[in-house]
């Protein structure tokens, strides 16, 4: 065709301009609608959590696992051998990977790296996001706005939630992805759109990339989705069976992919399928090493372990069991299946963590019970949801459109409503409010909150703290001194060999990270075997009984004490904290 | 603007300059040049993948699939309905011609308002006599004989058929199509409701022989993904929609004013979709299914697919003769669609085997020369694209089988990487044919779902 024809045509207004004209009301209506509430919640709690996190860090309340996640990201970008696999394979990588865009700001804000504040920012933002998602879950349960905001606030201000919003550890990220799963599962249970399973599936995959215990909710949700489709679909059994398989694939494949990807990458790069369990730096090794400490606090037999776990759970949510029973009874009576979403996701996680603890494969930290808090809030939501809302959402063949959705079944509806307002709402709120002081007490309990108490006590109420508690506040001090002294020596690149599984605080605190040859460097192993042959000048090693798997000392027994025949001790830093002493050895001298 | 010539003079100059620059760079610094090429290709892959995922996300919301209820469609009285011209081009298809009569008779549309035009090549005796034999005397069907002459293509036949068409609306069906009976009525209502901004609605295409073999299963999932998710996604982001070969319903006056189809373009439908968008018209996707015959034979499938890929490349080249004008007319998002969807689809499919080989070689022996080809950042991007991209596309297929409520195709959806190999073979064929025989129309034989002994041997076509 010719250009003349084109120009003689009735040309419409150019598309781009027309779209602009249309865009304006769209933006206005977008702002007028609900997202504003979510944005507001997010902004308020982000600012709140970040402020508290800043306070915590300035009081030296710093959690080791948080700093180590920042270090793993830092090694990827700024070690002497920057490469992506430096992120490490012992811990699931998402918390460190998401920090990569932030870490280059270390020049402007050194605190991001030096004390790992980037991690605290991350956990604060994810926990604020979790608050928004929880509100979304409660909205899907049909809770009126006022009640919903009260419940959300009780969650957001729960002492344990505040602690882990600010700690920099990966709990917030895990809760974020799990609540996203709950939210899309609630949507799916009432609307059955395949796209909602996609969101749930992706959330579970990302949850696994944050924490390996997400394997439990992933399996539980896949099973739940398959059974719901199988039991409530229409059509022949064989069609329903295949639909169930398709839905299970939809919700389960992203997790399976994440699981396989992580295992295969680990196998390819560190020759182990699941280093968390098999590595000498992994969870299993650490638990074994800490065994006596663990059993000292939690008891040796199954019964006392069971009691310990129950105390932790009730220490965070004292009335979770009554809530669970009441929600179960109400949901069964109303045939309201939405109530099952939260127990499937969060309950399965708790079951997994506690089972791991009971069989002696876990430290039994208090934070492994954190999911009980959103679970209690969501159970409350299921308990308090207005009955007329359950009409549309019970599982089963869709109602024909001619049939009214909420026909008054009996006269009891009005009485039930009054009962709910006057009895159920106050009781449930009381149960959640009670959790605040109880969990505040739990967090200061030496036996239940073994990880958190000492630092928190020493910083917040020094009067209650003992000497050992106070040593927790100095957790970074020795390492910062070591880093400062090494920096002052102005050593060239690649001259200090150290196992960064233990020295990560020193590498982070140093202004000259490339002087260190660290565990993630591709030439680390050969250099450990023959430091002199690789032009290494100094070896930096931690006290042996604090670091049983230090690679240098395993390769050269007696290194710490006498130099292991390859080096001589030139300097010792007396450890002020529980991390113990550090020694610098000169190679060959 | 026809694909009669593949490249304009300007394009030939630019192409030669780019080629010369590449050769010079390769001579001057082979490693640097190859690295730059790899970086560029990785970027293209990443953008194409990202764009596709955006389309899936937008298309899945279902806001841009136009739904007309049965009640509304049936409520239209005969007086309210416009005259509808239905063009049915057929060439050397004596076996399926009887089917045309059957499936068109099933259309719920008053005979007095139907103008069905069977477009046959004047020298195609077999099909003409088959049509004359099976045509009922009172049917509103005209046999139009298209004078022989080059190019002997479907768009040329359609252009010829359009000349005498009397309808206010025009659509095309292939001879083997089974359109859903209410489709014409839904299209009338859809175009009426959408208003004059919309030049055309495209009905969804599906297959009646999905379960014949693995190829037809793959093809069915692919089509459901294309018409049910990706095309509505294109509508949602405001990108040009490449029309499918059949079941597109036009306003006749507009189609004539546009000079209808480009007889030299082997995907004249896709080209037309872009021309409409460039003029500021919109295209809707109509929730009404036309069932076609899925190509069940490997060789036949590759021929058909290579024609489509060649056509997409042709189309892109034709529209890129005036790049500035195109970008002004389509806007940024529309132009992204043109590049990443129309050109990106065949191009990435063409390049896939290269990258698959690279990945395989890398995992087997990790040779240093591969590491040299990829600067660190690009390496991770490429790896992410490979691992996450492929997984995401397989996952999209799993999603598609669920959206189309046909979980029996789940197995095919999971095995789809084998289908990609077939696609790549077709893409390689397409690229070489674009160079050597740009207007050669790879005829797709139909009726393969019938008993094979019934089919008359296919006469080979002469390339133009």
């Amino acid at each position: 065709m010719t250009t003349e024809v084109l120009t003689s045509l009735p040309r419409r207004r150019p598309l781009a301009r027309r779209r602009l004209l249309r865009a304006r009301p769209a933006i206005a209506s977008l702002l007028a609608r609900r997202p504003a509430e979510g944005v507001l919640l997010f902004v308020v709690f982000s600012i709140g959590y970040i402020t508290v996190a800043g306070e915590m860090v300035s009081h030296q309340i710093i959690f080791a696992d948080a700093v180590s996640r920042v270090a793993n990201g830092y090694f990827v970008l700024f070690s002497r051998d920057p490469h992506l696999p430096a992120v490490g394979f012992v811990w699931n990588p998402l918390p460190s990977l998401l920090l990569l865009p932030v870490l280059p700001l270390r020049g402007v804000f050194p605190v991001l790296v030096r004390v790992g504040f980037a991690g605290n920012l991350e956990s604060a933002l994810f926990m604020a996001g979790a608050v928004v998602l929880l509100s979304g879950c409660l909205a899907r349960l049909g809770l009126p706005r006022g009640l919903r905001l009260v419940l959300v606030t009780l969650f957001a201000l729960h002492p344990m939630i505040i602690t882990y919003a600010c700690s920099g550890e990966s709990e917030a990220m895990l809760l974020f992805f799990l609540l996203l799963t709950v939210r899309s599962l609630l949507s799916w249970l009432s609307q059955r759109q395949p796209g909602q399973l996609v969101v749930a599936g992706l959330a579970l995959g990302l949850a696994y990339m944050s924490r390996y215990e997400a394997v439990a909710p992933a399996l539980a949700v896949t099973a739940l989705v398959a059974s719901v489709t199988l039991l409530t679909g229409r059509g022949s059994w064989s069609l329903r069976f295949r639909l169930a398989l398709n839905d299970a694939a939809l919700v389960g494949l992203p997790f399976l992919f994440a699981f396989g990807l992580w295992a295969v990458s680990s196998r390819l790069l560190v020759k182990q399928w699941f280093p968390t369990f098999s590595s000498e730096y992994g969870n299993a090794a650490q638990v074994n090493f800490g065994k006596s400490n663990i059993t000292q606090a939690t008891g040796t037999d199954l019964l006392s372990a069971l009691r310990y776990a129950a105390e932790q759970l009730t220490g965070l949510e004292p009335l979770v069991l009554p809530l669970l029973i009441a929600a179960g009874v109400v949901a069964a009576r109303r045939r309201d299946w939405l109530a099952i979403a939260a127990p499937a996701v969060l309950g399965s996680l708790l079951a997994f963590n506690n089972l791991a603890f009971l069989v002696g494969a876990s430290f039994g930290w208090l934070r492994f019970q954190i999911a009980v808090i959103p679970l209690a809030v969501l159970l409350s939501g299921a308990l308090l949801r207005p009955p007329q809302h359950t009409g549309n959402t019970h599982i089963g063949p869709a109602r024909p459109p001619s049939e009214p959705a909420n026909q008054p079944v009996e006269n009891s509806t009005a009485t039930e409503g009054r009962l709910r307002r006057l009895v159920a709402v106050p009781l449930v709120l009381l149960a959640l409010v009670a959790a605040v002081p109880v969990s505040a007490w739990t967090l200061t309990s030496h036996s239940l909150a073994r990880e958190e108490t000492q630092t928190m006590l020493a910083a917040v109420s020094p009067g209650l703290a003992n000497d050992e508690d106070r040593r927790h506040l100095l957790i970074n001090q020795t390492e910062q001194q070591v880093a400062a002294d090494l920096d002052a020596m102005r050593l060239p690149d690649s001259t200090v060999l150290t196992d960064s599984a233990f020295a990560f605080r020193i590498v982070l605190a140093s202004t000259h990270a490339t002087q260190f040859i660290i565990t993630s460097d591709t030439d680390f192993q050969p250099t450990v075997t023959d430091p002199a042959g690789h032009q290494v000048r100094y070896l930096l090693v931690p006290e042996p009984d604090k670091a049983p798997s230090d690679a240098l000392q395993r390769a050269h027994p007696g290194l710490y004490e006498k130099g292991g025949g390859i080096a001589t001790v030139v300097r010792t830093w007396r450890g002020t904290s529980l991390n113990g002493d550090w020694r610098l050895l000169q190679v060959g001298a | 603007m026809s694909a009669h010539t593949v490249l304009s003079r300007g394009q030939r100059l630019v192409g030669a300059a780019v080629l010369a620059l590449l050769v010079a760079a390769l001579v001057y610094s082979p490693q640097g040049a190859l690295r730059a090429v790899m970086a560029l290709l990785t970027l293209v892959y990443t953008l194409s993948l990202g764009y596709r995922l955006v389309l899936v996300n937008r298309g899945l919301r279902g806001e841009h699939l136009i739904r007309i209820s049965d009640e509304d469609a049936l409520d239209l009285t005969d007086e309210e309905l416009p005259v509808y011209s239905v063009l049915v081009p057929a060439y050397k298809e004596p076996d399926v011609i009887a089917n045309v009569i059957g499936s068109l008779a099933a259309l719920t549309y008053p005979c007095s308002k139907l103008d069905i035009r069977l477009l046959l090549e004047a020298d195609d005796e077999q099909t003409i006599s088959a049509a004359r034999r099976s045509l009922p005397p009172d049917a509103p069907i005209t046999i139009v004989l298209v004078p022989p002459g080059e190019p002997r293509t479907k768009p040329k036949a359609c252009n010829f058929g359009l000349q005498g068409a009397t309808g206010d609306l025009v659509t095309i069906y292939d001879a083997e199509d089974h359109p859903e009976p209410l489709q014409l009525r839904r299209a009338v209502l859809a175009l009426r409701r959408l208003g004059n901004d919309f030049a055309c609605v495209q009905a969804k295409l599906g297959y009646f022989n999905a379960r014949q073999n693995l190829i037809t299963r793959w093809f069915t999932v692919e089509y459901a993904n294309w018409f049910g998710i990706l095309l509505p996604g294109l509508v949602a982001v405001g990108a040009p929609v490449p029309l499918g070969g059949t079941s597109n319903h036009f306003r006749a006056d507009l189609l004539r004013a546009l000079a209808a189809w480009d007889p030299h373009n082997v995907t004249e439908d896709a080209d037309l979709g872009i021309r409409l968008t460039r003029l500021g018209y919109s295209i809707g996707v109509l929730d009404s299914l036309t069932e076609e015959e899925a190509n069940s034979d490997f060789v036949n499938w590759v021929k058909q697919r290579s024609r489509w890929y060649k056509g997409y490349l042709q189309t892109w080249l034709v529209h890129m003769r005036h790049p500035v004008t195109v970008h002004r007319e389509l806007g940024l998002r529309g132009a992204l669609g043109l590049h990443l969807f129309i050109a990106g689809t065949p191009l990435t499919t063409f390049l896939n085997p290269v990258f698959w080989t690279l990945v395989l070689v890398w995992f087997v022996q990790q040779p240093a020369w591969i590491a040299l080809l990829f600067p660190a950042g690009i390496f991770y991007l490429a790896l992410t694209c490979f691992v996450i991209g492929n997984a995401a596309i397989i996952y999209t297929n799993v999603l598609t089988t669920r959206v189309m409520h046909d979980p029996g195709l789940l197995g095919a959806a999971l095995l789809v990487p084998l289908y990609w190999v077939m696609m790549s073979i077709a893409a390689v064929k397409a690229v070489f044919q674009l160079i050597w025989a740009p207007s050669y129309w790879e005829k797709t034989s139909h009726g393969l779902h019938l008993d094979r002994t019934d089919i008359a041997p296919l006469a080979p076509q002469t390339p133009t």
Side-chain angles (χ1 to χ4, degrees):
Chain A
M1 67 173 281
T2 58
T3 12
E4 291 84 285
V5 180
L6 262 180
T7 44
S8 67
L9 260 174
R11 185 176 284 267
R12 310 208 69 85
R13 224 172 330 168
L15 202 63
R17 238 185 77 212
R18 280 193 292 138
R19 219 175 282 122
L20 264 182
L21 291 177
R22 245 183 287 148
R24 231 170 276 143
I27 290 169
S29 73
L30 203 72
L31 285 176
R33 271 188 297 133
R34 256 202 359 195
E37 186 191 302
V39 172
L40 197 69
L41 276 177
F42 181 75
V43 169
V44 167
F45 283 106
S46 303
I47 294 176
Y49 290 148
I50 291 173
T51 313
V52 179
E55 277 300 303
M56 274 170 62
V57 170
S58 71
H59 281 86
Q60 293 288 320
I61 305 181
I62 291 166
F63 292 81
D65 279 3
V67 183
S68 113
R69 298 295 185 285
V70 176
N72 286 341
Y74 185 73
F75 297 156
V76 170
L77 295 178
F78 302 112
S79 65
R80 65 181 264 281
D81 179 13
H83 61 304
L84 192 61
V87 79
F89 292 89
V90 171
W91 307 115
N92 300 26
L94 194 62
S96 302
L97 290 180
L98 289 183
L99 292 176
L100 293 184
V102 183
L103 294 177
L105 297 176
R106 75 196 199 289
V108 192
F109 306 106
V111 64
L112 286 179
V113 166
R114 227 177 121 76
V115 291
F117 194 63
N120 304 77
L121 280 182
E122 185 180 65
S123 68
L125 294 178
F126 271 95
M127 196 60 97
V131 171
V132 176
L133 289 173
L134 185 69
S135 169
C137 293
L138 295 173
R140 278 160 181 73
L141 285 171
L143 255 61
R145 188 187 172 119
L147 187 56
R148 176 158 51 86
L149 289 179
V150 171
L151 290 185
V152 165
T153 312
L154 281 173
F155 168 80
L157 298 182
H158 190 290
M160 183 73 176
I161 292 298
I162 297 180
T163 306
Y164 281 93
C166 307
S167 80
E169 283 163 294
S170 46
E171 264 66 24
M173 195 177 281
L174 181 65
L175 284 188
F176 177 88
F177 288 125
L178 292 185
L179 285 172
L180 182 57
T181 310
V182 175
R183 199 182 75 165
S184 23
L185 208 53
L186 287 171
S187 303
W188 181 76
L189 284 169
S190 49
Q191 295 166 356
R192 303 296 181 84
Q193 295 296 316
Q196 293 154 341
L197 288 183
V198 173
V199 179
L202 293 177
L204 286 168
L206 290 168
Y208 181 74
M209 292 311 267
S210 324
R211 288 283 285 265
Y212 69 84
E213 53 259 57
V215 67
L219 295 179
V221 169
T222 309
L224 173 72
V225 165
S227 348
V228 166
T229 304
L230 187 68
L231 297 177
T232 68
R234 273 166 290 177
S236 68
W237 275 100
S238 94
L239 174 70
R240 278 150 73 169
F241 178 75
R242 278 176 289 149
L243 281 173
L245 209 60
N246 203 154
D247 281 340
L250 213 46
V251 80
L253 276 180
F255 158 74
L256 200 65
F257 172 73
F259 184 82
L261 180 67
W262 190 233
V264 170
S265 321
S266 305
R267 181 72 186 86
L268 286 175
L269 291 156
V270 295
K271 308 275 182 282
Q272 293 172 1
W273 291 104
F274 299 102
T276 308
F277 304 103
S278 53
S279 162
E280 58 271 22
Y281 302 112
N283 182 69
Q286 286 190 8
V287 169
N288 255 343
F289 177 65
K291 198 105 221 167
S292 62
N293 277 333
I294 298 172
T295 49
Q296 201 186 338
T298 67
T300 43
D301 58 318
L302 191 68
L303 207 64
S304 50
L306 206 59
R307 196 170 58 223
Y308 183 79
E311 276 172 14
Q312 282 186 324
L313 285 170
T314 49
L316 292 177
E317 282 296 343
L319 294 169
V320 65
L321 198 62
L323 280 176
L324 182 68
I325 293 168
V329 170
V330 169
R333 233 168 55 87
R334 292 176 180 172
R335 300 175 55 79
D336 168 21
W337 291 84
L338 286 204
I340 210 169
V345 178
L346 300 164
S348 63
L349 180 86
L350 288 170
F352 177 88
N353 279 345
N354 283 295
L355 208 63
F357 172 64
L358 291 181
V359 301
S362 155
F363 277 101
W365 299 134
L366 186 61
R367 60 191 166 103
F368 297 159
Q369 314 281 23
I370 196 171
V372 74
I373 301 163
L375 178 64
V377 175
L378 286 167
L379 287 173
S380 309
L383 200 54
L384 297 182
R385 64 190 305 230
Q388 67 267 26
H389 241 278
T390 57
N392 307 330
T393 53
H394 82 114
I395 284 174
R399 204 186 297 279
S402 55
E403 210 176 307
N406 319 311
Q407 31 181 315
V409 188
E410 292 149 52
N411 261 349
S412 66
T413 324
T415 344
E416 212 181 281
R418 212 174 309 129
L419 199 72
R420 204 172 58 84
R421 254 197 330 278
L422 296 178
V423 183
V425 173
L427 273 181
V428 167
L429 288 185
L430 207 65
L432 292 180
V433 170
V436 175
V438 171
S439 60
W441 175 84
T442 306
L443 273 166
T444 56
S445 150
H446 274 98
S447 76
L448 292 179
R450 283 145 35 230
E451 224 185 355
E452 301 86 356
T453 312
Q454 302 177 304
T455 352
M456 300 283 260
L457 269 186
V460 182
S461 46
L464 292 172
N466 57 33
D467 274 356
E468 202 189 304
D469 293 343
R470 273 187 283 278
R471 290 214 325 152
H472 271 84
L473 285 189
L474 307 170
I475 199 151
N476 258 348
Q477 207 178 52
T478 319
E479 279 78 5
Q480 291 188 355
Q481 191 57 50
V482 176
D485 291 343
L486 284 173
D487 289 350
M489 290 165 72
R490 302 193 174 282
L491 295 165
D493 281 357
S494 317
T495 45
V496 184
L497 178 64
T498 188
D499 187 343
S500 51
F502 304 98
F504 58 91
R505 289 194 193 81
I506 298 176
V507 182
L508 282 185
S510 164
T511 53
H512 180 197
T514 48
Q515 66 186 308
F516 300 104
I517 300 169
I518 57 174
T519 323
S520 59
D521 292 350
T522 25
D523 55 355
F524 179 71
Q525 272 313 327
T527 313
V528 168
T529 317
D530 176 19
H534 288 80
Q535 283 75 49
V536 172
R537 287 204 214 160
Y538 293 100
L539 308 176
L540 184 63
V541 287
E543 204 179 321
D545 38 317
K546 306 283 182 192
S549 52
D550 180 71
L552 280 66
Q553 299 181 60
R554 273 187 297 124
H556 307 283
L559 185 67
Y560 187 84
E561 293 77 18
K562 291 188 188 121
I566 58 162
T568 46
V569 179
V570 290
R571 181 155 188 193
T572 300
W573 287 270
R574 194 56 62 200
T576 45
S577 78
L578 297 179
N579 290 330
D581 304 344
W582 282 93
R583 258 182 196 173
L584 189 70
L585 298 98
Q586 190 166 11
V587 177
Chain B
M1 287 221 307
S2 161
H4 182 59
T5 49
V6 178
L7 296 173
S8 69
R9 222 178 61 154
Q11 283 177 323
R12 254 176 261 156
L13 285 176
V14 171
V18 170
L19 209 65
L21 205 69
L22 186 67
V23 170
L26 275 171
V27 170
Y28 177 71
S29 159
Q31 190 192 331
L34 284 173
R35 277 181 158 213
V37 169
M38 284 302 171
L40 191 71
L41 292 180
T42 304
L43 204 67
V44 169
Y45 265 101
T46 313
L47 288 176
S48 300
L49 176 69
Y51 194 73
R52 195 161 276 244
L53 294 182
V54 168
L55 293 185
V56 171
N57 179 33
R58 296 297 302 271
L60 205 58
R61 295 185 203 165
E63 297 153 1
H64 292 270
L65 196 60
I66 299 149
R67 294 191 175 86
I68 306 283
S69 69
D70 292 6
E71 293 81 32
D72 287 359
L74 288 167
D75 269 356
L76 289 167
T77 60
D78 287 5
E79 291 72 50
E80 284 176 300
L81 290 170
V83 174
Y84 221 119
S85 291
V86 178
L87 307 181
V88 186
Y91 181 51
K92 295 194 172 157
E93 293 180 281
D95 307 293
V96 282
I97 208 77
N99 163 63
V100 180
I101 323 291
S103 50
L104 294 186
L107 287 172
T108 315
Y109 210 85
C111 276
S112 58
K113 295 278 177 99
L114 266 180
D115 163 38
I116 299 176
R117 308 173 78 77
L118 204 50
L119 314 176
L120 307 177
E121 300 285 327
D123 54 1
D124 182 8
E125 306 289 348
Q126 267 187 320
T127 316
I128 295 172
S129 62
R132 293 230 162 96
R133 261 202 314 280
S134 46
L135 207 60
D138 54 337
I141 300 184
T142 324
I143 293 181
V144 178
L145 295 184
V146 182
E150 298 306 333
R152 191 191 288 263
T153 57
K154 175 173 156 189
K156 193 197 82 174
C158 288
N159 284 339
F160 188 80
L162 183 65
Q163 285 174 16
T166 55
D168 301 315
L169 299 180
V170 182
T171 189
I172 301 179
Y173 291 123
D174 281 346
E176 91 283 8
D177 285 358
H178 297 284
E180 179 253 334
L182 289 179
Q183 190 172 100
L184 297 187
R185 286 172 170 267
R186 290 190 217 271
V188 168
L189 216 49
L191 282 169
R192 204 167 280 176
R193 287 185 187 166
L194 290 167
N196 284 332
D197 275 2
F198 281 74
C200 164
V201 289
Q202 164 76 55
K204 298 201 298 189
L205 303 183
Y207 291 121
F208 55 73
N209 60 333
R211 283 182 165 61
Q212 194 180 340
N213 60 27
L214 190 56
I215 295 181
T216 61
R217 281 164 191 262
W218 277 329
F219 212 165
T220 306
V221 177
E222 186 193 16
Y223 249 38
N225 183 239
W226 186 265
F227 287 100
I229 298 177
L230 292 179
L231 293 196
L234 284 172
V235 175
V237 301
V241 175
L243 297 172
T246 86
S247 310
N248 20 51
H249 303 262
F250 300 94
R251 299 180 194 282
D253 50 345
L254 205 64
L255 192 59
R256 287 204 183 86
L258 264 165
W261 296 275
D262 174 0
H264 293 280
N265 191 314
V266 296
T267 49
E268 74 293 344
D269 31 37
D271 171 66
L272 184 56
I274 294 162
R275 270 161 42 208
L276 287 170
T277 315
R278 285 184 64 180
L279 287 164
Y281 290 97
S282 302
I283 292 166
V285 181
L286 181 66
D287 191 13
S288 163
L289 191 69
T290 298
E291 293 198 309
E292 299 188 289
E293 183 200 347
N295 216 321
S296 56
D297 174 70
F298 176 75
V299 174
N300 204 22
W301 184 95
V302 169
K303 281 186 182 173
Q304 183 188 41
R305 184 54 55 105
S306 71
R307 171 166 67 79
W308 292 354
Y309 284 156
K310 184 173 75 173
Y312 273 30
L313 292 171
Q314 266 184 342
T315 303
W316 185 76
L317 287 170
V318 164
H319 287 276
M320 284 302 283
R321 284 179 194 170
H322 304 285
V324 179
T325 321
V326 165
H327 282 87
R328 207 185 52 232
E329 287 173 353
L330 288 178
L332 179 67
R333 291 195 290 180
L336 265 182
L338 178 68
H339 301 317
L340 296 177
F341 205 70
I342 308 289
T345 303
L347 212 63
T348 49
T349 315
F350 174 73
L351 290 170
N352 276 340
V354 179
F355 282 89
W356 292 334
T357 314
L358 280 180
V359 170
L360 199 69
V361 173
W362 176 248
F363 274 102
V364 171
Q365 45 172 207
Q366 312 213 342
W369 60 268
I370 291 188
L372 286 178
L373 284 183
F374 291 92
I378 296 298
F379 173 76
Y380 291 123
L381 196 60
L383 198 64
T384 309
C385 224
F386 177 79
V387 176
I388 295 186
N390 286 331
I393 303 293
I394 296 174
Y395 188 60
T396 312
N397 282 301
V398 173
L399 173 63
T400 305
T401 62
R402 188 60 183 87
V403 170
M404 67 195 283
H405 204 78
D406 195 348
L409 296 172
L410 180 63
L414 291 169
L415 285 177
V416 81
L418 296 172
Y419 190 53
W420 298 341
V421 176
M422 287 168 60
M423 288 177 164
S424 288
I425 295 172
V428 171
K429 183 167 152 56
V431 168
F432 285 104
Q433 214 178 66
L434 181 68
I435 300 168
W436 306 120
S439 274
Y440 175 61
W441 185 286
E442 288 278 10
K443 176 85 173 75
T444 313
S445 31
H446 295 297
L448 295 180
H449 66 291
L450 306 169
D451 191 338
R452 278 174 172 274
T453 50
D454 295 346
I455 300 167
L458 270 172
Q461 266 189 295
T462 44
T464 54

